[in-house]
């Protein structure tokens, strides 16, 4: 149960190898609480678990996010059997992939949709059901600023996040009155393994800052939050631009990262599951 | 899209909050009447279980049950059914103590123990094993329960008393509603000498004066409580007012008919932010309190105003703003006065000052395994529920536990579960009794889940 000061006792991270997911759990759970990291790669889960602050019970569970809804049901059941009620479930599954060019094999596009849209949407559905039965708890869904208006260079990713975002928000509305809630988080560019080596656009933030934003949004009971918060008005403005201008503005070459990282021409995996 | 089917039909879940408004969760609300309906409710409670809720005076989540059923016992203040015989009264669990005392007053009887709020029900007073400002003389509420009928999930209606089913009886006293639904109780009465009380305020200039003065006042008067000005620091830490009261003796005034309630105060809107919970505002309010004690140290007040100070503050949680209010009440044995001092110093140093700080002296502990009082000092501190408070109170918990003290569970909304068994060493005994009365873990609450009081709560019953 969350306590009177808003602290979560048990947090489950779906996509437990994600740096953002682990950081959110790290920020939310006080000493004596439980963090459950669910993900595909056991070695990476152990690494992620080792990075958490001491004093909490940390468990890891095998989980394939791009699988069926049943996979999520199973992991929720296992987590609840271990730790009781789940106060917060963080869903941060996805992979930032470069836009596959037209004419190329469609496998890449299919894969991107599976990872960023279909898998997470099924996980939202299964988790919402569980939290509603429980009568409390918040599902934190990691969307992206790209969900608001997809950029040509990240079209598939943006469209996938956009679908996930809309789905999660409406599930949140349908949960009203049940005690369970959904918080959609739209981060901008965050410094992680996933974005290492990419040029840093304005409003680039850190995982710790994102975790703090999520903690604040949970306290306030928000439905949607941006990280950093400044992105909300920026995105609202960008949204209104005519397509020609929007495309030019968003495709402006961002300043290269300090230390001379490679350019963003080839965006590839590291993904979080 | 998900549909809104709930576990037992189409009733929508409702948000149920603690009195402090810092906790809250959604549950189905039922108001069964009669034994048959209560039994049906227990039998039909789904996997998220059921908890009985009386006056809703618990500060925290003791009478909340997320995703389950919250069954109300109140609403049937049926005074015509009051039976007074043999210096006892048989009362329904849902009757408030305020109503009971008003009904008893014309008969020249009253209850030996009442808590600080008149809205507490008979069932709630037993389940929390409440205490009053006369604990030194009378012990807790549970010590004056002659017998009670409890509807248990395991064995149906069970008659319990200190001699019949004593194990079950003492597990239900202070058992936070987790052994079953208390339906009716026979309570011991004491003669009501006077409806009017002579109250005296004495000023204490530091903690030592407060402790000595309160000890003397507790022995000399029927009721005694210390009010501490938690804003003060340095040499004046623990300064405040010692209030003691006794009936206007002997029978110089006839017992009041008890018909009149204290005039309802203006209801207070919820204030923004932390409301009055800032050091500056508290400091001003405390000055006024001290000035009142200086100007009018002697007063004659009717019984409700003496016994139910919380009734005069109906909007108290709202005054603490949107975040609500948490109360931190703990007891430490005599000799651990340094913990009282530390509580005042550390909260103050962390930028908090309790908006209300009440000190009491406790006498001998009762028999109930989860009963709160033990011989020593009880300090209750009210704070706006700011997240930063967590670290301060967590650190205090460690000191309280190390000193052999404990936190009051029915008022709690933030204790760490791993400290409960240290604070309540008889927890295993209570668990065994509860497991016998409720083998399937039907009775449960958010407090139970949060603190893992029952064993089934440890693995998340749902």
């Amino acid at each position: 149960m969350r306590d009177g000061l808003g602290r979560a006792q048990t947090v489950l991270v779906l996509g437990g190898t994600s740096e953002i997911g682990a950081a959110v759990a790290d920020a939310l759970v006080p000493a004596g609480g439980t963090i459950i990291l669910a993900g595909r790669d056991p070695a990476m889960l152990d690494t992620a678990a080792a990075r958490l602050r001491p004093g909490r019970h940390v468990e890891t569970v095998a989980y394939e996010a791009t699988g069926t809804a049943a996979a999520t049901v199973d992991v929720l059941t296992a987590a609840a059997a271990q730790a009781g009620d789940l106060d917060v479930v963080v869903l941060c599954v996805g992979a930032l992939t470069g836009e596959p060019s037209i004419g190329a094999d469609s496998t890449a596009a299919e894969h991107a949709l599976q990872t960023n849209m279909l898998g997470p949407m099924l996980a939202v559905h299964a988790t919402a059901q569980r939290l509603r039965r429980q009568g409390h708890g918040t599902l934190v869904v990691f969307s992206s600023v790209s969900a608001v208006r997809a950029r040509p260079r990240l079209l598939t990713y943006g469209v996938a996040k956009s679908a996930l975002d809309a789905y999660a928000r409406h599930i949140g509305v349908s949960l009203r009155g049940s005690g369970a809630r959904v918080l959609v988080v739209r981060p901008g560019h965050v410094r992680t393994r996933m974005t290492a080596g990419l040029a840093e656009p304005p409003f680039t933030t850190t995982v710790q800052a994102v975790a703090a934003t999520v903690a604040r949004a949970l306290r306030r009971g928000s439905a949607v939050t941006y990280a950093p918060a400044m992105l909300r008005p920026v995105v609202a403005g960008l949204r209104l631009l005519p397509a020609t201008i929007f495309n030019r503005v968003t495709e402006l070459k961002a300043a290269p990262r300090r230390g001379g990282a490679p350019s963003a021409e080839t965006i590839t995996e590291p993904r979080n599951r | 899209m998900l549909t809104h089917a709930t576990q037992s039909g189409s009733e929508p879940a409702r948000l149920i909050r603690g009195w402090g408004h810092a906790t809250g969760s959604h549950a189905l609300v039922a108001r069964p009447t009669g034994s048959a309906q209560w039994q049906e409710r227990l039998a039909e409670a789904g996997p998220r279980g059921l908890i009985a809720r009386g006056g809703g005076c618990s500060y925290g989540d003791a009478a909340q049950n997320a995703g389950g059923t919250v069954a109300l016992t109140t609403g049937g203040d049926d005074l015509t059914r009051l039976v007074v015989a043999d210096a006892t009264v048989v009362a329904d669990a849902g009757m408030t103590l305020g109503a009971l005392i008003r009904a008893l007053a014309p008969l020249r009887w009253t209850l030996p123990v009442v808590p600080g709020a008149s809205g507490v029900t008979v069932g709630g007073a037993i389940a929390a094993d409440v205490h009053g400002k006369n604990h030194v003389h009378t012990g807790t509420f549970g010590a004056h329960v002659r017998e009670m009928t409890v509807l248990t999930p395991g064995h149906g209606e069970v008659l319990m008393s200190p001699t019949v089913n004593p194990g079950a009886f003492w597990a239900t006293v202070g058992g936070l509603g987790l052994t079953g639904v208390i339906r009716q109780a026979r309570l011991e009465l004491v003669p009501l000498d006077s409806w009017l009380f002579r109250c005296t305020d004495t000023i204490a200039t530091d903690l030592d004066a407060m402790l000595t003065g309160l000890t003397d006042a507790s022995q000399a008067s029927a009721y005694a409580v210390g009010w501490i000005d938690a804003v003060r620091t340095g040499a004046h830490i623990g300064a405040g007012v010692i209030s003691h009261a006794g009936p206007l003796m002997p029978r110089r005034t006839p017992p009041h008919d008890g018909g009149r309630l204290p005039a309802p105060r203006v209801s207070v809107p919820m204030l923004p932010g932390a409301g009055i919970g800032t050091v500056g505002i508290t400091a001003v309010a405390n000055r006024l309190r001290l000035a009142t004690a200086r100007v009018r140290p002697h007063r004659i007040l009717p019984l409700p105003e003496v016994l139910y100070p919380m009734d005069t503050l109906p909007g108290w949680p709202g005054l603490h703003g949107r975040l609500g209010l948490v109360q931190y009440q703990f007891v430490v044995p005599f000799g651990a006065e340094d913990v009282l001092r530390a509580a005042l110093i550390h909260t103050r140093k962390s930028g908090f000052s309790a908006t209300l700080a009440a000190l009491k002296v406790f006498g001998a502990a009762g028999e109930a395994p989860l009963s709160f009082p033990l011989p020593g000092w009880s300090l209750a501190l009210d704070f706006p529920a700011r997240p930063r408070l967590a670290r301060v109170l967590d650190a205090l918990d460690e000191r309280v536990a190390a000193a052999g003290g404990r936190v009051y569970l029915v008022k709690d909304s933030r204790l760490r579960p791993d400290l409960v068994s240290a604070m309540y060493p008889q927890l295993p005994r209570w668990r065994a009794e509860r497991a016998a009365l409720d083998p399937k873990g039907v009775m449960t609450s958010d407090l139970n889940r949060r603190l893992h009081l029952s064993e089934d709560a440890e693995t998340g019953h749902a």
Side-chain angles (χ1 to χ4, degrees):
Chain A
M1 292 302 306
R2 277 167 77 94
D3 73 7
L5 300 176
R7 291 185 295 180
Q9 275 189 318
T10 306
V11 173
L12 167 67
V13 184
L14 299 174
T17 58
S18 144
E19 286 161 80
I20 296 181
V24 168
D26 213 26
L28 291 180
V29 180
T34 304
I35 297 174
I36 305 167
L37 303 177
R40 195 177 54 172
D41 186 336
M44 281 177 79
L45 281 179
D46 290 341
T47 316
R51 271 201 297 265
L52 298 169
R53 285 180 294 140
R56 280 80 56 83
H57 311 285
V58 182
E59 315 266 355
T60 57
V61 190
Y63 174 59
E64 175 64 67
T66 53
T68 58
T72 307
V73 172
D74 289 348
V75 81
L76 291 168
T77 311
Q82 266 176 10
D85 283 6
L86 305 170
D87 299 322
V88 178
V89 178
V90 185
L91 178 65
C92 45
V93 168
L96 184 62
T97 47
E99 186 53 31
S101 58
I102 296 171
D105 183 2
S106 63
T107 328
E110 193 183 331
H111 183 75
L113 290 173
Q114 188 82 38
T115 314
N116 293 311
M117 187 181 80
L118 191 59
M121 275 169 69
L122 294 174
V124 167
H125 187 268
T127 310
Q129 237 169 6
R130 174 101 205 168
L131 295 185
R132 191 191 55 186
R133 260 206 319 271
Q134 196 180 262
H136 70 107
T138 306
L139 169 60
V140 178
V141 178
F142 270 87
S143 171
S144 161
V145 278
S146 324
V148 183
R149 186 164 181 180
R151 292 186 282 154
R153 208 165 62 182
L154 287 174
L155 183 63
T156 313
Y157 179 80
V159 166
K161 284 290 190 188
S162 185
L164 172 63
D165 188 291
Y167 184 71
R169 275 184 289 124
H170 285 89
I171 289 284
V173 171
S174 77
L175 284 174
R176 259 183 213 159
S178 73
R181 293 196 297 109
V182 174
L183 166 65
V184 172
V185 187
R186 294 175 183 158
H189 189 92
V190 186
R191 277 178 210 140
T192 60
R193 286 193 307 279
M194 191 162 90
T195 58
L198 301 186
E200 290 189 354
F203 306 110
T204 294
T205 186
T206 63
V207 284
Q208 288 75 19
V210 174
T213 303
V214 171
R216 199 160 47 238
L218 281 173
R219 276 203 299 277
R220 288 182 183 160
S222 320
V224 177
T225 189
Y226 287 80
M230 192 49 206
L231 278 175
R232 186 185 289 269
V234 170
V235 169
L238 284 177
R239 230 178 138 172
L240 298 174
L241 293 177
T244 46
I245 300 176
F246 174 80
N247 292 344
R248 286 190 59 179
V249 168
T250 54
E251 298 314 310
L252 284 177
K253 239 338 186 230
R257 191 172 179 166
R258 279 191 304 271
S263 79
E265 286 316 312
T266 50
I267 305 170
T268 44
E269 304 274 288
R271 62 185 129 162
N272 306 309
R273 271 187 215 164
Chain B
M1 202 76 3
L2 303 166
T3 55
H4 258 307
T6 42
Q7 57 180 8
S8 64
S10 55
E11 306 157 70
R14 261 176 50 193
L15 177 64
I16 306 283
R17 314 201 78 149
W19 190 76
H21 267 239
T23 61
S25 70
H26 285 74
L28 296 178
V29 178
R31 195 190 290 266
T33 46
S35 287
Q37 278 190 24
W38 273 101
Q39 265 161 8
E40 202 177 310
R41 273 287 163 188
L42 270 196
E44 283 175 2
R48 300 291 294 179
L50 177 146
I51 192 75
R53 180 181 174 97
C57 297
S58 295
Y59 282 71
D61 48 9
Q64 297 171 195
N65 183 17
T69 306
V70 171
L72 306 180
T73 62
T74 47
D77 272 3
D78 187 0
L79 301 177
T80 57
R81 282 179 53 199
L82 271 189
V83 186
V84 180
D86 194 19
T88 60
V89 63
V90 177
D92 284 345
M95 178 173 280
T96 65
L97 299 185
L100 185 56
I101 284 185
R102 283 199 307 279
L104 290 169
L107 310 170
R108 294 185 175 239
W109 290 109
T110 195
L111 296 172
V113 176
V114 286
S118 67
V120 173
T121 59
V122 170
I126 297 172
D129 199 18
V130 297
H131 57 269
K133 291 179 265 298
N134 55 353
H135 186 271
V136 169
H137 306 294
T138 59
T140 61
F141 193 89
H144 305 276
V145 177
R146 197 62 72 75
E147 62 182 27
M148 59 184 161
T149 314
V150 181
L151 178 61
T152 65
H155 305 282
E157 281 200 353
V158 179
L159 184 74
M160 304 173 180
S161 81
T163 49
V164 182
N165 297 318
F169 179 84
W170 292 117
T172 302
V173 170
L176 300 161
L178 299 171
T179 58
V181 180
I182 300 166
R183 299 276 298 124
Q184 215 171 47
R186 179 185 288 279
L187 309 172
E188 287 169 5
L189 300 176
V190 290
L192 176 65
D193 295 314
S194 167
W195 188 254
L196 295 178
F197 279 70
R198 189 190 294 283
C199 309
T200 310
D201 284 351
T202 327
I203 291 182
T205 50
D206 59 22
L207 188 60
D208 290 332
M210 170 63 72
L211 297 176
T212 330
L214 188 59
T215 309
D216 295 345
S218 299
Q219 294 301 332
S221 301
Y223 300 92
V225 62
W227 170 86
I228 293 178
D229 180 356
V231 176
R232 305 291 285 276
T233 50
H236 292 292
I237 204 143
V241 177
I242 300 158
S243 303
H244 45 111
L248 206 56
M249 287 289 273
R251 292 179 191 260
R252 271 180 25 206
T253 53
H256 194 277
D257 67 357
R260 198 179 64 88
L261 277 169
R265 304 304 204 268
V266 188
S267 74
V268 189
M270 186 162 286
L271 296 180
I276 61 159
T278 63
V279 175
I281 295 173
T282 309
V284 173
N286 289 359
R287 285 277 170 82
L288 288 173
R289 173 74 182 86
L290 277 168
T292 313
R294 275 205 190 91
V295 176
R296 279 189 66 194
H298 301 286
R299 279 178 299 171
I300 290 175
L301 295 172
L303 176 141
E305 293 201 27
V306 179
L307 297 188
Y308 312 130
M310 294 324 289
D311 286 15
T312 61
L313 303 164
W316 187 240
L319 289 177
H320 291 75
R322 191 173 51 82
L323 292 171
L325 152 75
V326 293
Q327 186 178 81
Y328 185 64
Q329 183 170 6
F330 66 92
V331 59
V332 286
F334 295 117
E337 289 77 14
D338 56 314
V339 181
L340 301 175
R341 199 179 292 275
L344 294 167
I345 294 175
H346 288 169
T347 49
R348 192 68 186 76
K349 271 194 181 156
S350 314
F352 294 95
S353 75
T355 50
L356 193 65
L359 184 71
K360 284 179 220 143
V361 188
F362 282 166
E367 279 189 59
L370 290 193
S371 181
F372 167 65
L374 52 81
W377 304 102
S378 156
L379 182 61
L381 303 169
D382 286 10
F383 298 102
R386 290 208 183 99
R388 278 190 304 122
L389 188 61
R391 204 175 299 168
V392 187
L393 297 186
D394 279 356
L396 276 174
D397 286 340
E398 308 263 354
R399 293 201 64 167
V400 169
R406 53 176 66 137
V407 166
Y408 198 4
L409 296 181
V410 79
K411 289 187 172 179
D412 176 61
S413 41
R414 36 69 42 202
L415 181 63
R416 266 171 53 183
D418 45 329
L419 284 176
V420 176
S421 51
M423 292 181 171
Y424 290 87
Q426 297 194 65
L427 184 66
R429 197 184 114 205
W430 178 80
R431 282 181 169 174
E433 290 291 345
R434 174 195 138 96
L437 295 167
D438 183 13
K440 289 184 185 153
V442 174
M443 308 303 302
T444 193
S445 62
D446 288 357
L447 177 74
N448 182 35
R449 289 198 182 92
R450 185 168 56 77
L451 296 183
H452 309 163
L453 295 174
S454 66
E455 265 155 48
D456 38 81
E458 232 163 328
T459 51
H461 174 60

